[in-house]
Each structure stands twice: as structure tokens, then as C-alpha cells.
Amino acid sequence: MGTILTFSGVSAAGKTRLSKEILAARHNAKMVTSITTRPARDSDIPGEYRQVPKEVFDKLCADDVFLWDVEHAGTHYGTPWEAVVLAAEKTDGIGIMILTPDVMPTLRDFLSSLPFPNVHVPVFLTTPPREVLIKRIVERKDNMTLMRERWEQSSNWESDARASLFPFHFVDNNRPIAETVSEVLGLL
């Protein structure tokens, strides 16, 4: 049975770092590649994203390659449905995805329609204090103006996720990373 582990949360909540730690802890874990129009970051995980120009992204959308596509702070993201199928059908594998919380029901519905058993573990990283977010942004050398825009767009994500009926696991990532990793591995 394949497992899809998803991480949601505001920018700088620690989704990428936690993904890296899970990949290091579990030899059978792998990123499910999404496609984006944003430039690569030094912090990107190999296999996490494939960067394409907006025209290519639009063509992929038109060709129904994506299970979903979203825009966040001027950047477009899409996950090919074939990549999700490949991850979900790996009987002992863990496919890791970093996603906006609004696509979770689509993912859950898609996974339930597949002709083989699979598990979805949706984790929402709770929002750390603002000073922690700013420190993380400075450390990864992101553009502060762009980050403010991203935070503004995602400011209601956590409250919306908590108010939804979707079965998120809310995990605190404002503590030693080993504790967070242990909690997430316990969910698998």
C-alpha cells in the first residue's frame, strides 16, 4: 500500500526542512515532483519541482496534465496526476508532497478513485511566531517583500484548515526538528 504524506502551512513553516528530514530517515521516501513557474531555490529538494516558463505551464494545463494547478503569490504550481499515481502505487513507498491546503480534498478524492489501496497522511504545520518566520526567511535569503505577499495570501490557511472537516494532522514545527520528525513518522 502506497503512502502519500503531504505537508501544508504558510511559507517558512518548515515544510521543506521537514521533508528533507523524512527523506533522510526513510529510505523508501521520495518527493512527488510538481511543476512550477517559480525560479529554483537553493533550499529546493532534488525531485521536488521542475521549473518551467509560464507558457509551458499553460500548455500543460491545457493538455490536462495536472491533477490540480494553483497560483500563489504570482507563482503557478501543478502536480501531474501521473506522478501521484506512481507514488501511490508503490506498495512500500512514501511519496512526499508540499501542497496548498485547498487541494487536499482533490487529492483525497483522486486517491480514493484509484484501483489499488493507498493511504494519505495530511500534515498541516502550525504557524510559528512571526519572528521565527522572519528568521527562517532571512536564513534562506528569500525576498522579504515577496514573502509578505505570500504570508498575506496564506494568513487564513491555518484557521480555515482547522474549521474544515478535512482530517489534517496539526503538527508544531517550532521545536527541535527531531521531535517534529518523530511525531510525523508516528503518523505513518
Side-chain angles (χ1 to χ4, degrees), residues 6-37:
T6 57
F7 293 117
S8 295
V10 300
S11 291
K15 301 175 297 291
T16 299
R17 174 140 188 245
L18 183 55
S19 296
K20 288 177 180 177
E21 295 289 334
I22 299 294
L23 288 166
R26 289 291 179 96
H27 73 282
N28 61 337
K30 181 180 175 190
M31 294 303 296
V32 176
T33 303
S34 288
I35 297 173
T36 182
T37 59

Side-chain angles (χ1 to χ4, degrees), residues 34 57-58 84 86 95 114 128 130 150 155 164:
S34 288
F57 189 91
D58 290 343
V84 176
L86 288 173
L114 296 176
R130 191 135 185 108
R150 293 174 69 90
S155 63
S164 76

Side-chain angles (χ1 to χ4, degrees), residues 86-158:
L86 288 173
E89 71 184 1
K90 294 212 183 286
T91 56
D92 66 341
I94 301 167
I96 301 174
M97 305 172 77
I98 298 174
L99 302 172
T100 58
D102 58 324
V103 301
M104 294 300 173
T106 302
L107 174 62
R108 180 65 59 100
D109 290 345
F110 180 74
L111 290 171
S112 68
S113 74
L114 296 176
F116 47 82
N118 59 76
V119 174
H120 176 212
V121 180
V123 173
F124 193 102
L125 296 180
T126 58
T127 306
R130 191 135 185 108
E131 61 273 8
V132 172
L133 292 172
I134 291 171
K135 180 178 182 254
R136 291 176 180 175
I137 291 306
V138 170
E139 286 173 356
R140 69 183 200 193
K141 300 178 178 109
D142 278 348
N143 177 303
M144 190 57 76
T145 302
L146 179 58
M147 292 314 302
R148 284 190 181 99
E149 183 181 340
R150 293 174 69 90
W151 286 331
E152 186 176 316
Q153 279 193 355
S154 62
S155 63
N156 293 330
W157 282 2
E158 186 172 343

